[in-house]
Amino acid sequence: MPTIVDSLLPPRLGQPFRRLLAASWTTSLGDGVASAAGPLLLASLTHNAFLVSLAAAVRWAPPLCFGLYAGVLSDRHHRRRIVILADTARVLILAVLIVGFVTKSVTAAGALAALGLLATAEVFSDNAAATLAPMLVHRDDLAIANARLQTGFITLNQLAGPPIGAALFAITRAWPFLTEGLLVTAGILLISRVALPAHGNTSAETHHGIGHDIAEAFRWTIHNQAVRTLSLTILIFNVTFGAAWSVLVLYVHERLGLGAVGYGLLTTVSAVGGLLGTTLYGWITRRVSLGNVMRIGLILETFTHLGLAVTTSPWVAAAILFVFGAHAFIWGTTSVTVRQRAVPTHLQGRVNSLNTISVYGGLVIGSAVGGTLASRFSVTTPFWFAFIGSAVFVVLLWRQMTRIAHAEPLPMDAKPAVAA
């Protein structure tokens, strides 16, 4: 057993990172359980399609509304403490929701409010948690550290969590939320044992206004070619991705002739592809430069849209989504690693929040574009839009990929220090 553990988590990553990983995996499972239970809860409380659709909206809105502020807090205050406080707030919200189940007083409006508050607290927890790995792990080991974190997200949050949540909800509505509460509580206990080095602006007298802190992150990002181009890439490719994936459920039904079960199986296939990506990530990055990894990934994503636009076969679509799932994991891990290597420790929270804005901003814009194109033309039109848009941007960005992947190293004062 020690040999297996050491092969998955090399001792050089350190015991604090292992505790961080355990906390991340535990809360990922809890979040995955709740991700299926939330929409099911709304559907059980109301037949109003608009209210049910708001279950997704209340998860997308908080990162856009509070992401920048969460980044400021992460750079100003003790990051482990932020994670603990935010996750404690989530546990309290879940406790109130469970009491509502017991007293049979939960309404659709109350459930939406609870889901929105949970998503808001998660923004602050996730932003602070995302800055911890570069504080604990040497920059040369960030790729493997992020790969291990993403492994838990894919296997527990995307694969295991949703079916467990759905099964628990079928037994009783309270169980998935009780399970999430217990898992988040376990995550709090684990993260409380992670010792962190000091970072950045922790002295109150050095603090300026929130606007000043946000502007500082914008200026740094704009003047850093690697992170600036990476943020732009994420924004643009999430516009094209959002356009196509916003109508994926309609595409699966109308183009492939599959129902709800088929749609679920296709999304599971994509997650299984992500597992392949986790298995091969170390092998790939030892043999292929990060610049070429990113280039290949963008080409795969571009041709994913083309393949889905032309096929009518569920089997071909499944194969495409399997490969796309592997790409999504590899690209995401590489993107995080490049950003963490380049950004000084005291700016990690704010620059990470700008990345979050790029992710969700692109998805929101893309969803609007995809819905408009599908309603005016056909369900495949968003995929053609995504293919053409991605192809144009790959050509424009091709020469910049190497520069992105070889972002300048962290300054000396940003390297991990001895934990206290």
Side-chain angles (χ1 to χ4, degrees), residues 268-281:
T268 300
V269 165
S270 183
V272 172
L275 282 180
L276 176 65
T278 67
T279 304
L280 297 179
Y281 189 76

Side-chain angles (χ1 to χ4, degrees), residues 35 68 72 143 152 173 241 270 279 307 318 333 346 358 380 407:
S35 69
L68 290 173
V72 171
R173 293 187 297 183
F241 171 83
S270 183
T279 304
T333 302
H346 71 279
S358 296
T380 59

Side-chain angles (χ1 to χ4, degrees), residues 262-329:
Y263 173 74
L265 288 175
L266 285 178
T267 57
T268 300
V269 165
S270 183
V272 172
L275 282 180
L276 176 65
T278 67
T279 304
L280 297 179
Y281 189 76
W283 183 88
I284 291 172
T285 53
R286 286 193 298 270
R287 291 163 174 79
V288 183
S289 70
L290 291 185
N292 284 332
V293 166
M294 299 179 88
R295 284 171 169 169
I296 294 169
L298 294 184
I299 291 172
L300 284 174
E301 182 160 340
T302 300
F303 281 96
T304 291
H305 301 313
L306 175 62
L308 293 176
V310 299
T311 189
T312 58
S313 167
W315 295 104
V316 173
I320 292 172
L321 289 173
F322 178 84
V323 175
F324 177 82
H327 145 72
F329 165 80

